[in-house]
Amino acid sequence: MAIALLPLLILGGLQAQSAFRAQDAERRSDLQLAAERTAASAKARLDSTTILLQALRPEALEVFCEPRLSDLVGRLDALDGLARLTPTGVTACASRSLSTSPPAWLANPRASPWFERLRSGESTVLARAPAAAGRAPGLIVAIRLERPMGRFDGAMVAVIPLSSLQPDMDDPALPEGSQAALTDAEGRLLTASDIDAFTLTRGEPLAGWVQRARSDASAIFEADDADGRHRVYAGAALAGRDVYALLSAPAPGLLSWARLNPVGALFMPLLAWFLAFSAVMLVSERIVIRWLNYLERVAAIYARGRFSVRPVQAMNAPAEIRVLARTLDELAESIVARDAALTTSLKEKDALMREIHHRVKNNLQIISSLLSMQQRALTDPASKAAVGDTRQRISALALIYRTLYQSDDLRYADARVFLTELVGQLVASETGRGHLITSSVEADSLVVDPDKLAPLALWLVEAVTNAQKHAFVGRGGDLKVRFFVRGETSVLEVQDDGPGVSETFRAGVGRTLMGAFAKQLRGSVEMVPAEGGGMIARMTFATPEAVAPTDPSDLGTAETARRS
């Protein structure tokens, strides 16, 4: 939203920049006009001096030249001295301020360029009077004297202190930080309010602007002063081509537009942007955002599986929000209808699968019963034992199917529950033979796929059958079954307390089947002696992929599930 309203700020910035450029141009114009006013003020001072020199022609001075000139210098604060020069450059008379200790330019004026200019025909000449011992720098104002036929007859010279020509900096039209100076035709400073403001950083002379002033009658340029500040310079011709007025002001910086007009240039665009942003946000909150938040909460409830909630409050919202609310409502209704259909279908399939498992279990029990009848008809002990082993294997498979159709989830079975029931069933089958066999099962909970449970069950049948044949025959005993889940591997052990396996014992079909079932589980089988006598049949195999058990607290814990 803030980005969308940025054009307001950009427009305000462009307007501020345009205003800044206009104000900058106005500043430059004010600086130029101030330079012209400074030049006019100084020129009036010089014109009055020129008129005074014209009034003091030789015929007016007569024999009292020096006293009259000294009296004028004493009465006029703007004069440092007056003198009358002959055509050859000799001082005919001078005020006491000049005659007492004549300056170098007055002792030999013929060597000065300004005197030569007078001799060549110029009527008025201005030149710098260098500072000397006991004398402040001044400005020489000289006029040409002529005889009646126009022949050069010397000059009248006046010396004006440069301090009296110092430009007035109290002009309210001047920009803040302005400085003023007078220069000669070469761009050399005659006087300045701040010399550093007219000393350029790169050592560039000021003569270049004088050339522009001569051609344009004014000049404006920019440069860096001695302190590295960027400044704007404006000048104007003061008197012919000899003296020029030069004003300087700090150039506007990058953010000076804000200082020129902070309210109109900076705060007004920001205020307009803030008001527009606030109005848009308020309207959006009342019309759009709060309804979107409401629909978001409804969608979150749907994500948790609760589709009974309906976005009825959105019926008071704008048309677009109402359309979205109706879409959510229709979506919830379609999900509820589809879930109901899927639930019904799953229940039907679950019932069918349970019926199939039940029938498979019954068929396996029928087969076991037929084998039992056949076993009773046999007289050969080896044949009877072989048929009995087959019956036990079939009973183990039947137990798997019974466990499945009796469990809450047909797809998985808990190994701990299954192994406990299977051991009880195997031990119970031997109770009728008169020898007492006690058993205990210690198993971890592991909920696995039935495909992984079948080889596990068949291996246990073979291990328990071997113990019954070789360890408990004719004597009974104690049978211990342990099942541990140890991370990526699991261990199933069957321990008896019989005499153990002699060195002459040869593995039969049972041991072969145990190895085959272990390979199906990517495991191995070993037979190791037990402490205190007996034998341990151990299968170590890769832990089948497990799901969350019916009782998650039992996962990874070992406890005795059943003793019989």
Side-chain angles (χ1 to χ4, degrees):
M1 191 67 68
I3 296 176
L5 294 175
L6 276 181
L8 287 176
L9 284 180
I10 295 174
L11 179 61
L14 293 177
Q15 292 177 344
Q17 182 67 13
S18 177
F20 164 67
R21 290 179 179 176
Q23 291 181 359
D24 183 42
E26 184 178 351
R27 280 163 56 90
R28 291 173 179 263
S29 177
D30 291 343
L31 193 64
Q32 180 62 42
L33 292 176
E36 293 176 359
R37 287 194 298 271
T38 299
S41 176
K43 186 175 183 301
R45 179 68 59 85
L46 295 177
D47 289 343
S48 63
T49 304
T50 302
I51 294 172
L52 175 63
L53 292 178
Q54 291 176 352
L56 296 175
R57 289 183 175 275
E59 57 270 18
L61 292 175
E62 297 177 349
V63 295
F64 301 102
C65 176
E66 181 178 349
R68 295 188 63 185
L69 294 180
S70 299
D71 182 62
L72 287 174
V73 171
R75 294 168 60 185
L76 299 176
D77 294 334
L79 289 177
D80 275 351
L82 292 170
R84 159 78 167 86
L85 302 181
T86 64
T88 60
V90 178
T91 302
C93 69
S95 62
R96 284 189 296 272
S97 59
L98 296 179
S99 61
T100 301
S101 55
W105 57 269
L106 187 59
N108 186 17
R110 297 184 62 180
S112 302
W114 59 269
F115 189 78
E116 291 299 322
R117 288 169 56 189
L118 289 175
R119 292 183 61 181
S120 64
E122 293 189 28
S123 59
T124 304
V125 174
L126 302 179
R128 180 184 177 87
R135 295 183 180 276
L139 182 66
I140 299 173
V141 181
I143 64 172
R144 175 187 172 92
L145 299 179
E146 295 180 350
R147 294 180 181 179
M149 300 299 294
R151 185 177 177 181
F152 180 63
D153 193 25
M156 285 297 299
V157 180
V159 180
I160 303 175
L162 290 178
S163 59
S164 65
L165 296 176
Q166 178 66 39
D168 182 13
M169 299 306 300
D170 295 332
D171 190 345
L174 288 175
E176 183 180 357
S178 298
Q179 303 295 337
L182 296 179
T183 70
D184 60 12
E186 301 300 327
R188 292 172 296 196
L189 291 176
L190 298 177
T191 180
S193 58
D194 184 0
I195 296 178
D196 291 339
F198 298 93
T199 304
L200 305 187
T201 301
R202 301 175 183 175
E204 300 174 355
L206 292 171
W209 84 269
V210 174
Q211 300 299 328
R212 291 194 295 271
R214 287 176 178 174
S215 59
D216 302 337
S218 64
I220 297 180
F221 66 98
E222 296 184 14
D224 294 333
D225 62 11
D227 296 330
R229 296 171 297 184
H230 196 63
R231 303 182 71 89
V232 178
Y233 296 86
L238 183 66
R241 59 177 185 173
D242 295 319
V243 181
Y244 298 84
L246 182 62
L247 265 67
S248 173
L254 181 63
L255 297 178
S256 59
W257 56 271
R259 294 195 300 269
L260 293 177
N261 187 5
V263 175
L266 179 63
F267 295 113
M268 290 303 293
L270 286 176
L271 180 61
W273 177 87
F274 178 76
L275 292 178
F277 180 77
S278 301
V280 172
M281 288 300 296
L282 180 61
V283 173
S284 300
E285 172 66 26
R286 297 299 301 171
I287 297 180
V288 179
I289 296 178
R290 73 185 185 98
W291 293 113
L292 291 179
N293 291 335
Y294 170 71
L295 294 180
E296 182 182 3
R297 292 194 299 271
V298 173
I301 295 174
Y302 289 170
R304 292 194 293 269
R306 294 175 54 195
F307 299 100
S308 59
V309 178
R310 292 293 185 265
V312 293
Q313 296 182 11
M315 294 301 104
N316 299 323
E320 295 81 0
I321 303 299
R322 290 200 300 272
V323 172
L324 182 59
R326 282 195 296 270
T327 303
L328 281 177
D329 192 13
E330 294 172 358
L331 176 64
E333 291 181 356
S334 63
I335 292 176
V336 169
R338 186 182 63 180
D339 285 352
L342 290 175
T343 302
T344 302
S345 177
L346 287 175
K347 288 181 178 180
E348 294 176 354
K349 292 180 179 180
D350 183 81
L352 290 175
M353 289 298 296
R354 292 181 187 276
E355 180 64 24
I356 291 174
H357 291 330
H358 184 68
R359 292 188 180 186
V360 170
K361 188 266 296 182
N362 290 340
N363 292 335
L364 290 175
Q365 286 183 343
I366 292 173
I367 295 174
S368 178
S369 299
L370 293 175
L371 289 175
S372 178
M373 294 173 60
Q374 186 66 38
Q375 183 183 17
R376 287 194 297 270
L378 294 175
T379 58
D380 182 36
S383 299
K384 281 189 174 184
V387 173
D389 293 344
T390 303
R391 284 183 58 233
Q392 286 187 337
R393 297 182 185 111
I394 293 174
S395 297
L397 295 176
L399 181 60
I400 294 176
Y401 285 99
R402 191 187 74 178
T403 302
L404 288 177
Y405 78 74
Q406 288 180 350
S407 64
D408 295 333
D409 195 330
L410 292 172
R411 297 171 298 172
Y412 303 102
D414 192 341
R416 183 180 66 181
V417 176
F418 175 78
L419 294 177
T420 302
E421 292 186 5
L422 180 59
V423 171
Q425 179 176 304
L426 294 174
V427 172
S429 65
E430 295 293 322
T431 56
R433 299 184 181 183
H435 302 293
L436 178 63
I437 299 177
T438 61
S439 65
S440 62
V441 178
E442 185 179 1
D444 292 340
S445 179
L446 181 67
V447 181
V448 296
D449 189 279
D451 293 337
K452 301 295 182 182
L453 198 60
L456 191 68
L458 294 174
W459 186 92
L460 181 62
V461 169
E462 298 300 329
V464 172
T465 301
N466 284 339
Q468 291 172 341
K469 288 181 179 180
H470 303 292
F472 303 142
V473 59
R475 57 180 292 272
D478 184 31
L479 179 70
K480 296 180 180 180
V481 178
R482 292 183 290 270
F483 175 66
F484 302 109
V485 179
R486 297 171 179 171
E488 296 181 355
T489 60
S490 298
V491 178
L492 179 59
E493 295 179 346
V494 176
Q495 179 179 348
D496 60 63
D497 59 351
V501 180
S502 65
E503 296 181 357
T504 60
F505 175 75
R506 299 178 61 183
V509 177
R511 292 284 296 276
T512 303
L513 290 176
M514 290 170 66
F517 295 144
K519 288 182 180 180
Q520 293 184 22
L521 295 173
R522 294 183 298 163
S524 60
V525 178
E526 58 181 339
M527 306 293 291
V528 296
E531 294 183 3
M535 184 66 62
I536 297 177
R538 179 182 297 137
M539 178 176 64
T540 304
F541 58 98
T543 302
E545 182 179 358
V547 297
T550 304
D551 186 3
S553 62
D554 292 338
L555 186 59
T557 61
E559 64 179 53
T560 301
R562 174 181 177 184
R563 286 185 178 271
S564 59

